[in-house]
Amino acid sequence: MELVKQIAALIGAQLEGLTVEEIEKLLETPKNVELGDVAFPCFTLAKIYKKSPQLIAAELAKQLKGVLIIKAESVGGYVNLFYNQQTVAKLVLEEILKDPNHYGQLPMKNEKITIDFSSPNIAKPFSMGHLRSTVIGNALANIAEKNGYKTIRINHLGDWGTQFGKLIVAYKLWGDKEKIEASPIEELLKIYVKFHEEAVSDESLNDKARAAFKHLEQGDEEARELWKWFKEASLKEFQGIYELLGIQFDSLDGEAFYNDKMAIVVKDLEERGLLVESSGALVVELEDMPPCLIQKTDGATLYATRDLSAALYRKKEYDFAKSFYVVGNEQSLHFKQLFKVLDKLGYGWAKACQHVPFGMMLKDGKKMSTRKGKVVLLKGVLEEAIQEAKRGIEEKNPSLPNKEEVAKSVGVGAVIFHDLKNHRMNDVEFSLEQMLNFEGETGPYVQYTHARICSLLQKGNFDANNVSLEGLKKETWQTITTLQRFPQVIQKSFEQVDPSLIAKYCLTLSRHFNKYYAHTKILVDNDTKVSKLTLCYAVAIVLKEGLNLLGIEAPEQM
Ligand code: ARG
């Protein structure tokens, strides 16, 4: 059994009023090692027992010493516990080694989670902004799986909407078929930008675009052909990015997929008396927020209408226990409205839908926008990162086998980690230089720590079938308690929908290990060599798993 669970059970045996699970959730890691290895706050109990937390802590402290706990102190309403290091070290390592690929894996729950992420817009470049959704969503899906859920990764492509009316009009006015075929997104973006420039002085363009989209919605042949062509060409380009990132989806059903599924929703809303006419358009009025627009004056549907039918479809198709939408914070209102309308329709599962917002990708402190052409293309960034990684390899390790592959893992890993190491709500300043800084708090630093361990294991002829857990010294302690925390971090990162906890954990583990490594000779033949290598092996397992959860590869050499 995991250590924290054992500790929670020990405390639980002394208490009434809290379950072992509740106790486990309350356990904290003290800020400072001098304060102990784990702390149990007694404030919740004070209310139940009607006694001061200090008193409860003092009484508990007297009872908790035993095989696992060598010392228990009560300090300001907390019981601070100190582990018996030898016993705990063994326990933790045994837990990792018993089933290396599954350390921290929670039992399967037989519940599904749909994760709507990436969801770029067709005929527009895959921007750095979409990178955020892609890497956060993918990490979240991995984390959910590790927490025992089955996931359905959905790329809700932006392949429908008035912008296609604009594109069709722009194409007919200024499009060049050959140029578009040669580099679709670049050319489509050009005419899209031109459309917006021209529309400033020529208002009729917007009317034409609205009409063109209407035609498209009604199935006009020419409009549909153009749309299909735009979509296929764009998808091909996006696919290249997903391949670089190593990301796959279970569904690519975008907005267009719901075109023939919206009438039912509109009818449903109407039958429940929720649709109201508002200067020709149909809306659902909401109490504490602006109304949700369902249908425009000309009968055209909207982003929200498509999201409504998508939500219904997903519930029916997948019967999700939770449904995540990994979309920028600027769409918060949209999702509030969406969930509220579902709630008004009487769907109890509206509560299971959750917007997972994130901050903006900024350039020189300002938001990036596609329309003005002020956008940094993700593909270029990834390619540059890979180039940079390759230069690093040529310099430090020119004889490395499969250089190309390693450069890809490191370059792409750098970009992903740069995004995930901060809490998702923080804005991220786009800085190629910072991403590519392979030292400091970066993905490559963690990857490098892992690779260094792999090489140690090889040089030391370590055999995973012949391990030892005896005689580990005090200086391994920080590494061991960090290893022990991994399962909790996995659970927390899911509960808080926060992959940065995993990224920060990887940095902490790397730091503790590197400190240990700097002060200890591992490859000397003495009676603790195998034990030391066993510890190294456990660290490598956990670092690799941590990186993989973030969607980053862990090369064995670099
Ligand atoms: N395509 C949209 C955009 O780039 C994001 C879609 C997010 N998903 C959703 N179900 N609305 O802004």
Side-chain angles (χ1 to χ4, degrees):
M1 194 177 18
E2 265 169 48
L3 185 61
V4 261
K5 293 209 164 52
Q6 296 197 34
I7 299 296
L10 281 178
I11 297 174
Q14 306 295 336
L15 288 179
E16 267 163 47
L18 286 180
T19 66
V20 173
E21 285 75 40
E22 285 167 333
I23 294 171
E24 192 189 332
K25 286 223 164 81
L26 285 172
L27 289 174
E28 292 176 18
T29 310
K31 296 241 150 47
N32 182 337
V33 274
E34 268 93 73
L35 291 173
D37 298 302
V38 63
F40 178 65
C42 297
F43 308 100
T44 322
L45 283 170
K47 278 178 225 126
I48 305 174
Y49 291 175
K50 305 206 166 46
K51 266 197 223 171
S52 80
Q54 287 79 358
L55 200 63
I56 302 170
E59 285 171 4
L60 253 181
K62 279 190 218 138
Q63 289 155 331
L64 290 173
K65 258 173 39 187
V67 187
L68 284 176
I69 293 164
I70 212 162
K71 190 164 90 176
E73 284 176 351
S74 91
V75 181
Y78 282 86
V79 192
N80 291 341
L81 302 172
F82 296 78
Y83 291 141
N84 178 334
Q85 300 189 353
Q86 284 292 328
T87 317
V88 166
K90 254 181 156 166
L91 211 89
V92 172
L93 293 177
E94 266 165 14
E95 181 74 29
I96 300 172
L97 299 176
K98 154 179 110 189
D99 189 1
N101 294 324
H102 296 101
Y103 179 52
Q105 172 73 48
L106 268 81
M108 286 310 285
K109 294 195 207 320
N110 202 15
E111 283 184 2
K112 291 183 198 150
I113 300 189
T114 56
I115 304 175
D116 178 322
F117 70 105
S118 193
S119 311
N121 299 320
I122 294 298
K124 284 196 197 170
F126 196 109
S127 69
M128 287 300 296
H130 286 112
L131 169 74
R132 299 218 67 196
S133 170
T134 309
V135 301
I136 295 169
N138 186 55
L140 218 58
N142 294 338
I143 292 166
E145 283 164 7
K146 194 85 180 168
N147 275 271
Y149 293 92
K150 167 142 186 24
T151 60
I152 297 114
R153 296 164 198 242
I154 303 176
N155 192 342
H156 187 77
L157 289 170
D159 55 2
W160 208 245
T162 29
Q163 73 268 31
F164 290 94
K166 292 177 188 171
L167 261 180
I168 289 170
V169 172
Y171 176 72
K172 285 191 180 160
L173 286 171
W174 316 295
D176 179 329
K177 193 158 194 271
E178 270 164 37
K179 274 196 193 157
I180 295 180
E181 255 152 17
S183 54
I185 295 198
E186 196 186 324
E187 283 307 314
L188 291 173
L189 177 64
K190 249 187 221 161
I191 57 172
Y192 187 70
V193 171
K194 188 172 165 80
F195 179 93
H196 282 272
E197 283 164 4
E198 300 285 325
V200 176
S201 53
D202 182 359
E203 184 38 37
S204 78
L205 279 176
N206 280 319
D207 295 334
K208 283 187 190 133
R210 266 189 288 276
F213 179 56
K214 190 91 196 291
H215 284 145
L216 180 62
E217 275 203 308
Q218 288 162 346
D220 173 83
E221 185 102 7
E222 188 199 12
R224 273 213 86 94
E225 277 308 307
L226 280 175
W227 170 80
K228 236 176 90 187
W229 175 44
F230 297 156
K231 178 166 170 171
E232 275 157 18
S234 311
L235 264 182
K236 226 194 263 158
E237 277 203 44
F238 294 164
Q239 213 49 51
I241 292 165
Y242 294 133
E243 261 159 41
L244 276 179
L245 291 170
I247 288 178
Q248 277 168 354
F249 296 93
D250 299 301
S251 161
L252 284 171
D253 291 336
E255 294 184 40
F257 177 76
Y258 300 99
N259 191 34
D260 62 359
K261 298 172 183 59
M262 281 181 294
I264 316 167
V265 184
V266 178
K267 203 169 139 230
D268 198 4
L269 287 166
E270 193 162 23
E271 279 171 6
R272 302 206 198 199
L274 292 171
L275 272 190
V276 177
E277 219 194 283
S278 165
S279 36
L282 295 175
V283 307
V284 176
E285 280 182 336
L286 303 169
E287 288 70 41
D288 38 9
M289 56 190 111
C292 180
L293 239 96
I294 301 293
Q295 198 169 329
K296 289 197 198 172
T297 336
D298 60 5
T301 58
L302 290 119
Y303 183 52
T305 330
R306 292 186 282 282
D307 255 333
L308 272 174
S309 30
L312 292 168
Y313 176 84
R314 286 172 195 172
K315 185 62 195 174
K316 203 163 137 232
E317 186 73 14
Y318 306 115
D319 192 26
F320 55 72
K322 273 181 201 292
S323 180
F324 289 137
Y325 295 81
V326 186
V327 188
N329 192 34
E330 63 272 26
Q331 292 193 27
S332 278
L333 177 62
H334 165 75
F335 286 104
K336 273 198 197 115
Q337 293 174 313
L338 176 66
F339 303 154
K340 190 78 206 173
V341 175
L342 289 170
D343 178 52
K344 282 191 164 251
L345 278 166
Y347 298 120
W349 49 264
K351 282 194 288 301
C353 298
Q354 188 180 344
H355 176 208
V356 180
F358 53 84
M360 284 187 291
M361 188 63 88
L362 306 174
K363 179 102 176 101
D364 307 321
K366 288 200 194 81
K367 186 185 171 198
M368 297 185 184
S369 145
T370 324
R371 232 172 287 160
K372 298 181 198 94
K374 227 201 288 165
V375 73
V376 182
L377 302 192
L378 177 59
K379 191 128 192 260
V381 171
L382 289 174
E383 275 157 6
E384 221 173 312
I386 295 170
Q387 281 312 315
E388 190 61 32
K390 213 155 137 204
R391 268 196 291 279
I393 294 170
E394 292 297 353
E395 200 183 296
K396 294 192 199 106
N397 195 0
S399 58
L400 179 76
N402 51 16
K403 278 186 229 175
E404 298 287 327
E405 220 177 287
V406 176
K408 190 184 137 199
S409 306
V410 174
V412 172
V415 175
I416 298 179
F417 199 91
H418 172 82
D419 192 296
L420 292 181
K421 75 172 179 186
N422 297 305
H423 187 272
R424 59 182 159 75
M425 282 309 284
N426 294 353
D427 290 341
V428 178
E429 173 66 29
F430 171 77
S431 152
L432 202 57
E433 204 181 312
Q434 258 192 43
M435 277 180 204
L436 298 179
N437 176 359
F438 289 178
E439 281 143 38
E441 305 204 315
T442 65
Y445 167 70
V446 178
Q447 285 173 319
Y448 183 65
T449 307
H450 170 265
R452 173 192 255 172
I453 298 176
C454 291
S455 117
L456 267 175
L457 294 174
Q458 213 193 7
K459 283 195 198 125
N461 292 317
F462 175 74
D463 174 4
N465 295 311
N466 179 22
V467 299
S468 165
L469 306 171
E470 301 301 328
L472 285 169
K473 299 269 160 50
K474 211 176 161 46
E475 55 275 17
T476 59
W477 186 238
Q478 274 193 321
T479 305
I480 287 172
T481 47
T482 309
L483 286 173
Q484 171 263 318
R485 277 199 301 119
F486 189 51
Q488 286 158 273
V489 175
I490 289 171
Q491 284 180 48
K492 261 205 185 127
S493 71
F494 178 71
E495 281 160 19
Q496 300 176 7
V497 200
D498 179 10
S500 76
L501 292 178
I502 305 265
K504 290 186 184 114
Y505 172 85
C506 288
L507 288 170
T508 308
L509 181 58
S510 300
R511 218 176 302 118
H512 288 321
F513 175 79
N514 285 324
K515 204 161 100 197
Y516 164 68
Y517 178 68
H519 296 289
T520 314
K521 286 216 167 55
I522 290 175
L523 294 178
V524 279
D525 281 312
N526 57 21
D527 51 354
T528 54
K529 180 178 155 191
V530 178
S531 300
K532 284 185 280 186
L533 285 173
T534 304
L535 173 70
C536 292
Y537 175 57
V539 174
I541 290 170
V542 174
L543 283 181
K544 178 172 178 196
E545 183 60 21
L547 287 170
N548 289 172
L549 284 174
L550 299 174
I552 300 173
E553 286 171 24
E556 294 191 356
Q557 278 181 290
M558 60 186 268

